[in-house]
Amino acid sequence: MITMKFGGTSVGDVKRLQDVALIVKTHLPRHPVVVASAMGGVTDLLLDTARLAVKRSSQVEPNLRLLKDRHLQVSQALVRDRERRDELMERQARLIDELSTLYHGVSLLKELSVRSLDAIASFGEILSCLQIASILQDHDIPAEFIDSREIIRTDANFGEAAVDFPTSSDRIRRRLLPLLGKSCVPVVTGFIGGTEDGLTTTLGRSGSDYTGSIVGAALECEEIWIWTDVDGVMTADPRYVQGARVLPQISYREAAEMSYFGAKIIHPKTMVPAIEAGIPIRIKNTFNPSAPGTIISHTADTGDRIVKTITSIDNLSLIAVEGNGMVGVPGISARIFAALARVQVNVIMISQASSEHNLCVVIPHRDCAKALHELKSEFERDIAKKVIDEVKVQNPVSIVAVVGEGMKGFRGVAGKTFTAVAEAGINIVAIAQGSSEYNISLVVEQANAHKAVQAIHDVFHLG
Ligand code: ASP
Ligand code: MG
């Protein structure tokens, strides 16, 4: 058994959906379970339209028409059997009517809760998976639409609901195994779930990967395949690094580390069910289905590769709190983090030299003003007493991260990294290495980030 998750781009138009049908057909002997997202852009459109409905905007009707046309066009083009097509189109039209009623309710009440947003967002995956199931049937593949609100049980934390794993796994098995036994392909809606009381919830944006992992783990599949639009996980971003190439294999840890540092592979939380069940996740390209992709599993299989990838995140600010009075004083860092937490600023990297005279944090640039304001007021008295000299900012900066499980206990990686960056004529502003030793991150001026990535990529011969 293989769980195959198709994202929004992979199910986003007629051509792509044709490819999906071929992919599923090719792998029928492996008993695929399909988990799919809404058509690309649909979730955003659904949510934006809800916000327009609260304002009683005249744009609601045109948006609904757009949504209807986009789906009906696919049904027209891809379901050849007349009866099946009519049935699908009627069902989709009824769903659009239901959605229209919801928008109407929102605009009458002039109220839009997260709970309503979840109910509205769920239409994207339902519309999409209904058509995928029909398209598969039209290709003579036995398939059945599965509304995951029946099988993924969650709490009522709308917008980012927590999954009740024992109940969900049990339901997934009871509902899907009989279908698989008959060689029927279940087409499961990603992203959505249901509470005990039958309310619709969502698992957080981009949550279909999570559904894929939950379903794959519950069924103890051989592998979970995440179909996307790239050939796999790369050694660096090919848009600006020469010689970047696909990695055949990385570990769960490496994948998580890379995701923290800007590589859009798979959200770390998403992998948890797969990791616990020890099921490998494979990243595959719908545009190039015969490519093996990248397999993510427990083993790092480093071979001779110590370093696996170099990633970078742009649009960051570095804030440094400095002062001779800070040395040896307990509680300064606690105050820095408490202040940032008060204004809901996420800290991406922390660095403090053992002299304790300077502590710096790296945060998203968009949060810089509020973070600075809060820190300055937190340390106002210490600044007046000269315990702290100042709160300094540097903008815009990037974090460049060197990731690889093989770095653990291996000497010289940091030295080689810093030398390569220095030889490229780039100044390193700050450095951090977690004690896991799976990554070394450095802060550089944003203008130099790509050059730094290239220099490190070259020095470790990743190309
Ligand atoms: N359709 C949802 C979203 O856009 C879930 C997903 O794509 O994974 O967030
Ligand atoms: Mg998506």
Side-chain angles (χ1 to χ4, degrees):
M1 249 185 297
I2 305 277
T3 294
M4 296 189 175
K5 180 263 170 178
F6 293 95
T9 332
S10 306
V11 298
D13 60 40
V14 169
K15 173 73 186 68
R16 303 250 60 81
L17 280 162
Q18 251 161 350
D19 293 346
V20 167
L22 288 182
I23 288 171
V24 173
K25 195 159 204 168
T26 310
H27 296 286
L28 271 184
R30 300 185 77 173
H31 300 284
V33 177
V34 171
V35 173
S37 299
M39 295 177 81
V42 163
T43 309
D44 283 329
L45 183 65
L46 288 166
L47 298 175
D48 291 346
T49 308
R51 291 179 193 112
L52 289 167
V54 193
K55 291 192 235 150
R56 299 187 176 172
S57 153
S58 60
Q59 193 53 41
V60 174
E61 280 306 315
N63 282 5
L64 272 166
R65 229 170 298 135
L66 199 74
L67 207 66
K68 187 169 178 176
D69 290 348
R70 220 175 136 196
H71 289 90
L72 294 190
Q73 189 212 345
V74 164
S75 312
Q76 282 282 10
L78 292 179
V79 185
R80 289 159 305 177
D81 181 88
R82 174 93 188 265
E83 210 174 306
R84 181 178 292 129
R85 182 174 65 229
D86 289 348
E87 196 189 309
L88 170 66
M89 286 172 63
E90 254 169 54
R91 210 158 159 193
Q92 289 183 315
R94 270 203 309 275
L95 283 163
I96 302 283
D97 286 344
E98 241 178 79
L99 185 61
S100 166
T101 313
L102 285 183
Y103 284 141
H104 191 61
V106 166
S107 78
L108 279 181
L109 293 168
K110 285 196 167 188
E111 184 191 69
L112 181 61
S113 59
V114 213
R115 173 170 155 176
S116 313
L117 281 171
D118 274 2
I120 288 167
S122 71
F123 282 77
E125 269 66 15
I126 295 171
L127 285 162
S128 163
C129 290
L130 274 171
Q131 69 191 18
I132 296 171
S134 291
I135 295 167
L136 293 181
Q137 289 161 1
D138 208 66
H139 279 73
D140 296 323
I141 303 167
E144 188 170 322
F145 166 77
I146 304 285
D147 185 332
S148 56
R149 291 176 294 188
E150 292 167 25
I151 51 175
I152 307 278
R153 165 69 62 80
T154 72
D155 66 5
N157 183 25
F158 299 99
E160 182 121 28
V163 174
D164 168 350
F165 281 96
T167 309
S168 304
S169 300
D170 187 46
R171 291 186 172 201
I172 291 167
R173 282 193 287 266
R174 270 194 289 150
R175 183 78 177 86
L176 304 190
L177 286 175
L179 291 178
L180 290 156
K182 298 189 286 188
S183 294
C184 174
V185 179
V187 181
V188 182
T189 54
F191 178 54
I192 60 181
T195 66
E196 203 177 341
D197 306 332
L199 298 171
T200 302
T201 55
T202 62
L203 309 180
R205 290 307 303 270
S206 301
S208 297
D209 287 349
Y210 197 26
T211 311
S213 172
I214 296 164
V215 169
L219 296 175
E220 295 173 17
C221 283
E222 289 157 64
E223 287 184 7
I224 296 162
W225 290 4
I226 307 284
W227 287 94
T228 136
D229 49 8
V230 292
D231 271 339
V233 180
M234 314 266 308
T235 51
D237 191 330
R239 283 172 303 176
Y240 45 77
V241 175
Q242 258 178 31
R245 57 171 189 90
V246 175
L247 287 155
Q249 223 256 337
I250 57 172
S251 69
Y252 296 122
R253 281 204 195 93
E254 288 170 332
E257 246 8 278
M258 288 174 201
S259 304
Y260 293 134
F261 289 102
K264 284 200 193 70
I265 310 169
I266 180 166
H267 192 282
K269 167 179 134 180
T270 298
M271 295 193 293
V272 172
I275 297 175
E276 284 180 349
I279 298 172
I281 298 172
R282 193 183 284 276
I283 310 290
K284 299 264 297 172
N285 191 355
T286 24
F287 293 85
N288 184 14
S290 58
T294 299
I295 190 131
I296 310 174
S297 65
H298 275 303
T299 40
D301 184 25
T302 47
D304 53 348
R305 305 234 174 242
I306 308 302
V307 169
K308 289 276 183 71
T309 40
I310 320 296
T311 61
S312 64
I313 330 179
D314 291 341
N315 298 321
L316 304 175
S317 299
L318 180 136
I319 299 188
V321 179
E322 273 183 18
N324 287 317
M326 279 165 66
V327 181
V329 180
I332 301 267
S333 45
R335 287 170 60 197
I336 294 175
F337 296 120
L340 293 173
R342 273 200 299 279
V343 285
Q344 310 238 310
V345 173
N346 179 35
V347 177
I348 300 172
M349 187 185 126
I350 306 160
S351 169
Q352 185 194 269
S354 58
S355 73
E356 298 178 39
H357 154 268
N358 165 306
L359 190 146
C360 72
V361 292
V362 180
I363 60 168
H365 176 59
R366 60 170 188 276
D367 292 337
C368 184
K370 66 177 177 184
L372 198 60
H373 180 264
E374 192 68 17
L375 285 169
K376 281 189 169 158
S377 72
E378 169 67 35
F379 290 107
E380 200 177 354
R381 286 167 60 194
D382 308 80
I383 293 170
K385 285 191 280 176
K386 302 218 183 304
V387 173
I388 282 172
D389 300 339
E390 58 179 331
V391 182
K392 277 203 300 204
V393 196
Q394 187 169 345
N395 266 326
V397 296
S398 300
I399 293 180
V400 172
V402 181
V403 177
E405 211 169 312
M407 286 158 56
K408 189 171 175 66
F410 193 92
R411 276 167 299 153
V413 178
K416 216 164 151 179
T417 302
F418 303 144
T419 311
V421 175
E423 280 174 358
I426 298 163
N427 177 44
I428 299 175
V429 182
I431 297 165
Q433 181 192 282
S435 60
S436 70
E437 298 184 46
Y438 299 144
N439 97 69
I440 295 173
S441 353
L442 29 124
V443 179
V444 296
E445 273 177 40
Q446 184 164 306
N448 292 329
H450 295 173
K451 208 168 142 197
V453 173
Q454 183 78 60
I456 306 169
H457 196 264
D458 290 344
V459 82
F460 288 107
H461 308 293
L462 295 187

